[in-house]
Amino acid sequence: MKDNGLSNVMELIKRQKWENLFKRREFVFVDTVKEFYARMTVTHLKKKDIVKSSVKGVVIEFDHDKLASILGVPENNGICEYIKDVWESKYTKPLEITRRFANDETLTAARRVKSGELKPFQRFIHFLVMKNVVPRFGKRDTSSFMDLTYMDHLMSRRLVNLPR
């Protein structure tokens, strides 16, 4: 039987210990999620951030450790953290990542990469990132730098500290 690459994807997910993110969920309450994000505030403290929101009068508050518990993923899993639009990692350079995923070594500046520029396996990893790691509504035909960086770390088998 020929391997269709799915075992490679499962290996990448298991390496990150993100299996829980990929479990099927029966219901998503979109209005509740929108209310949560509309009321959300983040307080940046020295050693951690505190997220606070309320939904239908219920106050919700958590830090990195609690988010890791909610998501069912390790909090101190990785070497790479995303902080205010900048990846704190010695492995990522925006132009290199853009060139690799756009499959164009002649690019002179980092930019978003259109889905059509991605190779099939890259496109599948992008889909997983958009649906399960950094879920969103709306435009899905381009990869942001954050998407590309997640994809790069996954495909390079580097651990990511997702809750941070």
Side-chain angles (χ1 to χ4, degrees), residues 125-141:
I125 296 297
H126 180 239
F127 175 78
L128 292 177
V129 167
M130 286 188 317
K131 292 292 282 181
N132 298 84
V133 180
V134 190
R136 61 178 153 255
F137 299 104
K139 207 169 196 179
R140 295 182 179 164
D141 61 345

Side-chain angles (χ1 to χ4, degrees), residues 95 105 112 158:
L95 181 56
E105 291 300 316
R112 293 177 178 267
R158 289 188 294 268

Side-chain angles (χ1 to χ4, degrees), residues 146-161:
M146 182 169 56
D147 295 338
L148 295 174
T149 305
Y150 272 121
M151 292 163 58
D152 179 61
H153 287 305
L154 284 169
M155 295 173 76
S156 299
R157 293 171 170 70
R158 289 188 294 268
L159 297 176
V160 175
N161 193 340

Side-chain angles (χ1 to χ4, degrees), residues 45-49 64 164:
L45 303 174
K46 285 185 181 182
K47 297 207 179 228
K48 63 182 171 180
D49 296 334
H64 301 131
R164 291 197 179 256

Side-chain angles (χ1 to χ4, degrees), residues 78-83 85-94 96-97 100 145 149-150 152-154 156 158-161:
I79 53 176
C80 308
E81 298 177 2
Y82 188 73
I83 303 170
D85 301 324
V86 177
W87 274 92
E88 297 294 325
S89 169
K90 62 183 177 182
Y91 301 102
T92 55
K93 303 223 178 337
E96 290 174 19
I97 290 176
R100 184 172 34 251
F145 183 62
T149 305
Y150 272 121
D152 179 61
H153 287 305
L154 284 169
S156 299
R158 289 188 294 268
L159 297 176
V160 175
N161 193 340

Side-chain angles (χ1 to χ4, degrees), residues 98-140:
T98 303
R99 285 177 175 167
R100 184 172 34 251
F101 286 105
N103 299 295
D104 185 350
E105 291 300 316
T106 65
L107 291 174
T108 58
R111 63 169 173 80
R112 293 177 178 267
V113 175
K114 294 181 180 172
S115 294
E117 296 175 283
L118 299 171
K119 293 177 182 176
F121 187 71
Q122 294 170 337
R123 195 173 303 136
F124 184 67
I125 296 297
H126 180 239
F127 175 78
L128 292 177
V129 167
M130 286 188 317
K131 292 292 282 181
N132 298 84
V133 180
V134 190
R136 61 178 153 255
F137 299 104
K139 207 169 196 179
R140 295 182 179 164

